[in-house]
Amino acid sequence: MAVVNVKLKENPYKIIIGHGILKDAGKVLRPLKIGEDAVVITNPLINRLHGRTLAGGLKRRGFSVKFFEVPDGEQSKSAFAAVALLKKIAQYDTGKKIFIVAFGGGVIGDLAGFVAAIYKRGIPYVQVPTTLLAQVDPAIGGKAAIDLEAGKNLVGAFHQPKVVYSDVKVLTTLNDRQYRNGFAEIIKYGMIRDKKLFEFISRNTKKLLARDLSALTRVVVRCSRIKADVVGADEKETKGIRTILNFGHTAGHAIEAASRFKCFHGEAVALGMAIASEISHQKGMLRLNDQLRLQGLLGAFGLMDKKNVPLRKLNVDQIIRLMARDKKFQGKKNRFVLAGRIGQVKVVEGVPEKIIRAALNKWLKR
Ligand code: GLY
């Protein structure tokens, strides 16, 4: 079992990573003193596959457990779904001391975190992420949000979990597409901060694709450390440090939305990284060799494959309009996270539209 500390002044917490640890969740939660009654927010598939293991572990340590299911998919990150859930929780919450358990992928984590942030002006919650992507990124750092028609994650709060509890064994039940999807964020960490990680992933692609537990655990631990460090240095994204986690996300979020979420988050971010690296190269920041290495590694995880990423209906003007809503942009000025080399990125303002358009054309019109 590995423990990574998220060192925050007011809300420090641990990320616990292990194999087959789901059944012991109660043991870890008991000393946190966050309540007695667990409200587990999950989706039907995760509940069916792993709900009983989690509930058993919590009940053994004296917690009561109530499950609320929400459908899988980005549509569950809506104001409608959040209010429906809040009403059910309020009805259930009589004479209890509840806390929330976000038990699922990124959608569940964001929605459950958001509900925990606003119910009674904030109650404790814990993240038990069940996808590779959620374990390495959104479960850590307290960003909780729902979407509006106008854009993804537009309504939200910073609400830190009391613990992040990542069982890598659960990842063996992910379907292939969901599993590969997680590698976009993993490769992103290599690009933004850690050349050694990038090289480890390159050397161990086969093992990782075969879900070799030792290689996989190593990667989840390393990414959790990087995320914890970045969040520790800039919890509320006010210092421009946390912004680097958005490498590939400017175009990525726009592609995800334009595909009506048929494109998974990681798949869209992979394309977004290809686009950001093309912009970086055109601006003279990134050598062609590094750009090709990034594309090659994304490709090795099937993330550059048109078969997996349904792009036919994406239109460059629509992507440019959607990108203008990016939270990083300030007024009319665009801001991109661009790469200098593998392991290093920086935030760049005012990229000429001609360069952006050419990069989008190159990657979206294949
Ligand atoms: N996923 C980006 C962040 O947590 O800041």
Side-chain angles (χ1 to χ4, degrees), residues 137-138 140-143 158 185 188-189 227 230-231 234-235 237 242-243 245-246 249 265:
D137 186 14
I140 305 161
K143 275 191 180 173
F158 287 97
E185 295 288 2
K188 177 197 80 178
Y189 285 113
K227 176 94 191 233
V230 172
V231 169
D234 185 14
E235 181 183 358
E237 205 166 334
R242 191 163 176 167
T243 315
L245 297 171
N246 285 315
H249 284 59
H265 180 69

Side-chain angles (χ1 to χ4, degrees), residues 65-331:
V65 185
K66 173 78 180 167
F67 282 88
F68 287 117
E69 288 183 351
V70 291
D72 199 13
E74 192 74 19
Q75 70 280 3
S76 286
K77 274 179 62 178
S78 65
F80 181 80
V83 171
L85 199 51
L86 284 161
K87 284 182 182 167
K88 284 193 212 164
I89 292 171
Q91 210 167 28
Y92 173 69
D93 182 21
T94 47
K96 297 192 174 61
K97 190 153 189 265
I98 68 163
F99 64 93
I100 285 177
V101 181
F103 187 42
V107 165
I108 292 290
D110 282 9
L111 174 69
F114 179 72
V115 163
I118 61 172
Y119 181 63
K120 292 182 169 172
R121 299 195 183 91
I123 61 171
Y125 80 115
V126 299
Q127 287 278 6
V128 185
T130 59
T131 64
L132 178 57
L133 188 133
Q135 290 191 354
V136 297
D137 186 14
I140 305 161
K143 275 191 180 173
I146 56 167
D147 304 336
L148 295 181
E149 279 279 301
K152 197 172 144 84
N153 296 335
L154 277 187
V155 183
F158 287 97
H159 188 50
Q160 299 295 343
K162 297 296 178 189
V163 71
V164 179
Y165 196 66
S166 297
D167 186 347
V168 288
K169 189 178 173 196
V170 170
L171 306 180
T172 56
T173 61
L174 289 177
N175 69 39
D176 192 49
R177 188 177 169 203
Q178 274 284 9
Y179 180 71
R180 281 185 289 101
N181 184 51
F183 280 93
E185 295 288 2
I186 290 170
I187 294 167
K188 177 197 80 178
Y189 285 113
M191 278 305 287
I192 65 172
R193 266 279 166 107
D194 193 341
K195 189 171 180 192
K196 277 197 186 141
L197 172 66
F198 189 96
E199 283 166 351
F200 179 82
I201 305 163
S202 309
R203 279 198 313 277
N204 292 280
T205 304
K206 262 198 186 147
K207 274 191 185 173
L208 288 164
L209 281 170
R211 309 191 195 196
D212 173 275
L213 273 173
S214 137
L216 186 56
T217 306
R218 189 160 156 180
V219 160
V220 173
V221 171
R222 184 68 202 134
C223 294
S224 301
R225 282 217 171 96
I226 299 173
K227 176 94 191 233
D229 283 353
V230 172
V231 169
D234 185 14
E235 181 183 358
K236 304 252 167 95
E237 205 166 334
T238 50
K239 300 178 190 162
I241 303 169
R242 191 163 176 167
T243 315
I244 65 169
L245 297 171
N246 285 315
F247 180 59
H249 284 59
T250 307
H253 278 158
I255 291 167
E256 205 181 346
S259 78
R260 299 196 172 275
F261 296 94
K262 284 201 180 73
C263 203
F264 286 178
H265 180 69
E267 293 166 347
V269 166
L271 262 172
M273 288 194 283
I275 291 162
S277 65
E278 172 69 14
I279 297 174
S280 312
H281 178 61
Q282 292 305 331
K283 280 188 64 68
M285 293 170 58
L286 183 70
R287 288 186 318 163
L288 182 63
N289 189 40
D290 283 353
Q291 188 189 359
L292 294 177
R293 281 182 74 192
L294 169 63
Q295 283 166 28
L297 193 53
L298 292 168
F301 286 91
L303 290 162
M304 293 278 95
D305 193 337
K306 273 200 282 184
K307 201 166 74 246
N308 299 333
V309 184
L311 291 174
R312 264 177 309 134
K313 294 201 180 109
L314 300 189
N315 143 331
V316 168
D317 288 316
Q318 186 194 8
I319 300 291
I320 289 188
R321 272 197 307 278
L322 286 166
M323 286 201 310
R325 293 187 182 148
D326 188 281
K327 291 194 289 306
K328 284 189 298 305
F329 288 19
Q330 292 179 341

